[in-house]
Amino acid sequence: MKILMVFDFDHTVVDENCDIWVIKCLPKQTLPDSVESTYRRGQWTEYMGRVMAYIGDQGVAPDRVRSVMETIPFTPGMPELFTFISENKSTVDCIIVSDANTMFIEWVLQGAGLWEAVNQVYSNPASINESGYMELRHHHLHECAKCPVNMCKKKVLETYLSEKADGGEVYGRVFYVGDGGNDLCPAFCLSAGDAVMPRKGYTLDKMLTRLRDQEGNGSVSAKVIPWSSATDILQELKDSLQSQ
């Protein structure tokens, strides 16, 4: 049976937040208070829509935005991990579940020659309109009170696994790799044979530690394997493939 690798994107695949990195395409690499002050908690996608509208208003073309996004640094060891995955597609599937947007993710991975490693991207849909502006939409509707209004990663993962199972594909093991608070919810749909891999020192790692310290109350079923670099993840993946 195949292994499924599930990745968050910001501060996981790449070592920065791509929604912050995009500001570098502006002449002064800063946003005015009139834009920054419009952010409201839980409404990041709407805010990024206004950011991209402002970038368009400054005459920044999509090609310029893409060239800047292609300079975002990857987390140490991540290119090697994705290269390994792309070379082992017969035994490893890979999906990205991110609250960024589809266009940024595709640009970054294509620019680095790593796009072939990914089977599917689940993120907020982005497109360039007739005026040359990027537009963003919510990924989906959901009823999870713990997640941002535009995406519940648990719902994404559950739907993906269910659709695969309906097609006769059941994974031998699932690895979920992330860093943030919105990566906790999907960890609860993993089984005991799976693994949730939080980046050491980041929010997800701290949240899982608190759950564990609460004497297992509400803790996840999957094995928790923290990581510092993607080299750690690659070793876990190789060990899992060898043990099958």
Side-chain angles (χ1 to χ4, degrees):
M1 289 188 290
K2 279 188 172 184
I3 289 175
L4 175 65
M5 301 296 297
V6 186
F7 291 91
D8 170 50
F9 196 69
D10 294 323
H11 295 294
T12 298
V13 175
V14 293
D15 213 12
E16 300 284 345
N17 184 323
C18 60
D19 285 343
I20 303 300
W21 193 262
V22 73
I23 306 305
K24 293 179 179 292
C25 73
L26 290 167
K28 295 184 179 180
Q29 299 189 12
T30 58
L31 288 171
D33 290 340
S34 60
V35 176
E36 285 194 336
S37 64
T38 65
Y39 171 68
R40 297 294 180 268
R41 182 179 176 86
Q43 298 180 10
W44 182 261
T45 303
E46 290 84 353
Y47 169 71
M48 281 307 300
R50 292 188 289 274
V51 169
M52 296 313 299
Y54 175 79
I55 288 174
D57 287 342
Q58 305 315 300
V60 180
D63 285 349
R64 169 59 180 164
V65 177
R66 178 170 187 157
S67 66
V68 167
M69 294 313 302
E70 289 177 348
T71 67
I72 194 169
F74 283 87
T75 301
M78 199 60 70
E80 291 80 6
L81 171 57
F82 270 59
T83 298
F84 178 86
I85 292 172
S86 66
E87 294 171 347
N88 290 271
K89 296 305 293 179
S90 62
T91 52
V92 183
D93 281 350
C94 172
I95 65 172
I96 291 175
V97 184
S98 166
D99 202 3
N101 70 73
T102 55
M103 195 162 285
F104 283 177
I105 294 170
E106 185 172 342
W107 283 348
V108 170
L109 293 177
Q110 285 185 343
L114 301 173
W115 182 245
E116 294 303 317
V118 182
N119 295 77
Q120 185 71 42
V121 171
Y122 296 92
S123 189
N124 301 299
S127 59
I128 304 298
N129 67 20
E130 294 179 354
S131 301
Y133 286 40
M134 178 182 283
E135 296 181 337
L136 301 174
R137 303 188 305 279
H138 283 191
H139 175 69
H140 63 189
L141 297 173
H142 65 85
E143 298 178 353
C144 178
K146 298 178 181 179
C147 291
V149 295
N150 57 293
M151 173 177 276
C152 170
K153 293 187 176 185
K154 180 181 179 183
K155 180 179 179 180
V156 172
L157 184 53
E158 284 179 332
T159 300
Y160 176 85
L161 293 173
S162 175
E163 290 176 350
K164 281 291 185 176
D166 289 344
E169 179 81 80
V170 177
Y171 291 102
R173 195 177 194 196
V174 178
F175 287 89
Y176 187 97
V177 185
D179 75 284
N182 63 353
D183 292 312
L184 180 63
C185 198
F188 285 101
C189 74
L190 300 176
S191 68
D194 300 328
V196 54
M197 301 191 70
R199 190 173 184 183
K200 287 183 180 178
Y202 284 68
T203 302
L204 179 61
D205 186 25
K206 295 173 182 177
M207 295 174 80
L208 288 168
T209 298
R210 283 198 295 270
L211 282 174
R212 181 197 64 199
D213 291 344
Q214 293 170 3
E215 299 181 358
N217 182 31
S219 62
V220 297
S221 298
K223 184 178 181 181
V224 177
I225 308 174
W227 60 280
S228 294
S229 79
T231 303
D232 303 329
I233 304 169
L234 178 56
Q235 190 58 56
E236 290 293 335
L237 174 57
K238 287 181 176 179
D239 290 346
S240 189
L241 287 171
Q242 290 174 358
S243 65
Q244 288 193 144

